[in-house]
Amino acid sequence: MSDGAVRLRGEDVKGTMKAAIIGKPGEIHLEERPIPEIDFGETLIKVKYIGICGSDIHLLHGKNSSAIYPLLPGHEFVGEIVESKGEGSERLKIGDIAAAQEVISCGVCEACAKGEDNVCRHLKIIGIHTDGGFAEYVKVKTRKVFVLPKDIDLKVAVLIEPFAVAVHDVRRSELKVGETAFIAGGGPIGLLIGIAARLAGARKVVVSEVMDGRAELARKLGFDTVNPLSESFDDDVKALSEDR
């Protein structure tokens, strides 16, 4: 059997599904839509959990210039594979728990050929340029699917996409074991970067944050905090950076 002939199919996935649609900036509603039909090289995922990214908020408020409304947002999802067709499907099983990369790349342009599909000439993003995961089902490119352990906590697994951003950030920083990591901003991504830095061997993680609630959460996670609006900011950072 050729790769193109591979097909996996589980439950009956015909009919309609509920989806959250941003009809126009400032307006979101539930809508019945057909369950997506997949083509070869695509996989259908039954969404279990989905995160709300800052970019989803921007879409809701009309702050993404490339968005065309109405649209179905959402790219931080985890779910169960219910159908897959074509190349790549042989590595999947019906019922597998999976996440998917939100970047849709052509696979043939110069950037993709160099393995830099994040800057694909024809780049699209799930949940902005194609239907996303704020629905009962979402279709994705099979080559972008990542199968997860069966026993994974789905509420943790849904953070895979933003945590991948944090891991990439730490790798780009070239942090070395035993160094102190300084993070500007204690929002969701900043705190995930702190966790990734600690796992990468940072001796100490210092988070710069002006909001009391976020600073408190950072401290609960075991990070030191400084307030950039404080008159003692420079001295505080210096003190926390010194070897002890």
Side-chain angles (χ1 to χ4, degrees), residues 27-162:
E27 184 270 322
I28 187 168
H29 63 275
L30 278 178
E31 187 176 297
E32 287 285 333
R33 284 202 168 187
I35 293 174
E37 293 186 8
I38 63 172
D39 295 321
F40 282 91
E42 294 182 332
T43 293
L44 188 65
I45 294 177
K46 185 175 185 178
V47 178
K48 297 295 185 180
Y49 285 95
I50 185 164
I52 300 175
C53 180
S55 62
D56 296 321
I57 303 299
H58 295 159
L59 289 170
L60 178 60
H61 294 295
K63 296 182 178 180
N64 187 311
S65 60
S66 68
I68 299 176
Y69 300 88
L71 59 83
L72 200 176
H75 59 269
E76 298 178 2
F77 54 83
V78 63
E80 179 183 340
I81 293 174
V82 294
E83 187 177 8
S84 187
K85 291 182 184 179
E87 185 177 0
S89 299
E90 66 279 355
R91 67 182 177 84
L92 307 177
K93 298 184 181 66
I94 297 302
D96 277 346
I97 299 300
Q101 187 181 23
E102 78 279 16
V103 173
I104 301 173
S105 51
C106 71
V108 296
C109 71
E110 182 179 356
C112 286
K114 292 165 61 178
E116 300 172 352
D117 58 352
N118 60 307
V119 288
C120 169
R121 180 174 296 180
H122 309 288
L123 184 72
K124 293 182 179 180
I125 304 294
I126 293 175
I128 299 178
H129 308 113
T130 64
D131 287 348
F134 281 178
E136 294 179 89
Y137 296 88
V138 59
K139 71 174 182 177
V140 298
K141 295 295 184 182
T142 301
R143 61 191 176 90
K144 301 285 187 173
V145 172
F146 297 88
V147 176
L148 307 176
K150 284 283 189 181
D151 59 350
I152 194 168
D153 183 337
L154 297 185
K155 291 182 180 179
V156 173
V158 78
L159 295 174
I160 284 175
E161 192 276 341

Side-chain angles (χ1 to χ4, degrees), residues 181-192:
F182 179 87
I183 299 167
I189 296 297
L191 295 181
L192 287 172

Side-chain angles (χ1 to χ4, degrees), residues 165-232:
V165 173
V167 171
H168 177 69
D169 186 274
V170 172
R171 286 176 175 170
R172 289 292 300 272
S173 76
E174 299 184 355
L175 175 75
K176 295 180 176 60
V177 173
E179 291 184 330
T180 295
F182 179 87
I183 299 167
I189 296 297
L191 295 181
L192 287 172
I193 291 172
I195 293 170
R198 185 164 57 196
L199 291 171
R203 175 179 64 87
K204 182 182 297 182
V205 174
V206 180
V207 177
S208 174
E209 177 56 57
V210 299
M211 296 178 63
D212 291 339
R214 288 186 169 185
E216 181 181 0
L217 179 55
R219 288 191 290 271
K220 286 181 178 178
L221 289 171
F223 306 144
D224 291 294
T225 62
V226 291
N227 188 331
L229 300 182
S230 170
E231 292 182 359
S232 63

